[in-house]
Amino acid sequence: MRTDMLIRYEGMRALREHLCPVESEKFIVLIRREPFYYTEWQQTLWQDKSVDELFEAAKQQSSE
């Protein structure tokens, strides 16, 4: 299992790679301001996708 420090470092690196500095800051502010319930989010995240669609998307993601 990765340490908290390593997870923070990799998270910040992901933000820098995919968002500009202003968007990164906005993302952090949004996360801190609004309550976020990961379990509830996961229950609705893929409700419109079939298992086969999810499997294909995962295969494609892992090949990239």
Side-chain angles (χ1 to χ4, degrees), residues 30-54:
L30 289 170
I31 292 297
R32 293 189 68 186
R33 183 180 345 155
E34 299 174 14
F36 180 72
Y37 301 105
Y38 179 81
T39 303
E40 291 177 13
W41 174 69
Q42 282 292 311
Q43 290 174 348
T44 60
L45 181 62
W46 306 113
Q47 67 186 13
D48 298 331
K49 300 281 185 188
S50 70
V51 172
D52 291 333
E53 290 172 314
L54 293 173

Side-chain angles (χ1 to χ4, degrees), residues 57-64:
K59 273 189 358 186
Q60 181 163 354
Q61 179 70 28
S62 70
S63 69
E64 293 174 3

